Amino acid sequence: MNGATVVFDLDGTMIDTGPDLTAALNHVLRRLDLPQAAPEDVRPVVGLGARAIIECALAKRGHAIDAGALEVHLDSFLAYYRQNIAVRSTPFPGFETALAGLAAEGFRLAVCTNKREDLAVKLLKEMRLAQHFHAIAGGDTFPKRKPDPGHLLGAIALAGGVAQRAVMVGDSRPDVAAARAAGVPIIAVSFGYAGEPLENLQPDLVLHHFDDLRRAVGSLLARRS
């Protein structure tokens, strides 16, 4: 075991979950007789969680609801998504090979996602990826979630690692903010759901394909040794 930990965001980083999240949102919108959404509308807010996906969609359609109604719609969204979590979701190119390579080298691997823990575990199991991870920390695993650094530090600790020998891989502002606050270097993928130019986020490195992940991780760990 080399002692280093690599922590991954899930949606938009490891897996393109946009199509299935959009289908769950459209299930809610159909019940409200509102216009349907496209994946490109949903992806920029995926990192904020399911509640934000619904709130943003309803706001764009001028549909105001109270907190109680929002909870009903959230339950409907989650029930539909749980049953259809891996219909059209796919790992990004090269991810499975890169992940297996890191595991073979003895890296500790963890997930730090704002998706609920049970959904993250279910998705990774259905994608046949869960076995590679030492820890899967969802948005409800700890009292705080990204961008709070406690979420990332908790994921590292659950995986048996230490922040001084860890690297984060993410795609959006909450990932970068959590990593910065935790003192952990951050790699941002260029194909994710950032919804804004990556230069605005100022990650330590930008990754364009998972074929280059091992090199990027090694480069950042070398800077800390």
Side-chain angles (χ1 to χ4, degrees), residues 31-47:
R31 297 181 64 180
L32 294 169
D33 197 26
L34 292 173
Q36 299 283 278
E40 54 267 27
D41 301 321
V42 174
R43 288 185 175 106
V45 293
V46 164

Side-chain angles (χ1 to χ4, degrees), residues 15 48 109 113 115 119-120 159 176 217:
I15 299 172
L48 301 177
L109 303 174
T113 175
K115 186 188 291 294
L119 294 177
V176 176
V217 168

Side-chain angles (χ1 to χ4, degrees), residues 209-221:
H209 195 285
F210 275 115
D211 287 352
D212 299 319
L213 178 63
R214 178 62 181 88
R215 186 181 305 110
V217 168
S219 172
L220 292 181
L221 289 173

Side-chain angles (χ1 to χ4, degrees), residues 80-118:
Y80 182 94
Y81 184 60
R82 187 171 284 109
Q83 294 300 315
N84 300 275
I85 199 167
V87 175
R88 291 190 291 159
S89 294
T90 55
F92 285 105
F95 176 71
E96 293 167 283
T97 299
L99 189 69
L102 290 175
E105 285 192 52
F107 282 87
R108 294 184 177 277
L109 303 174
V111 176
C112 181
T113 175
N114 282 345
K115 186 188 291 294
R116 296 186 182 202
E117 182 181 326
D118 66 316

Side-chain angles (χ1 to χ4, degrees), residues 188-202:
V189 299
S190 63
F191 42 80
Y193 299 169
E196 62 183 305
L198 288 182
E199 54 263 31
N200 291 354
L201 305 182
Q202 298 184 321

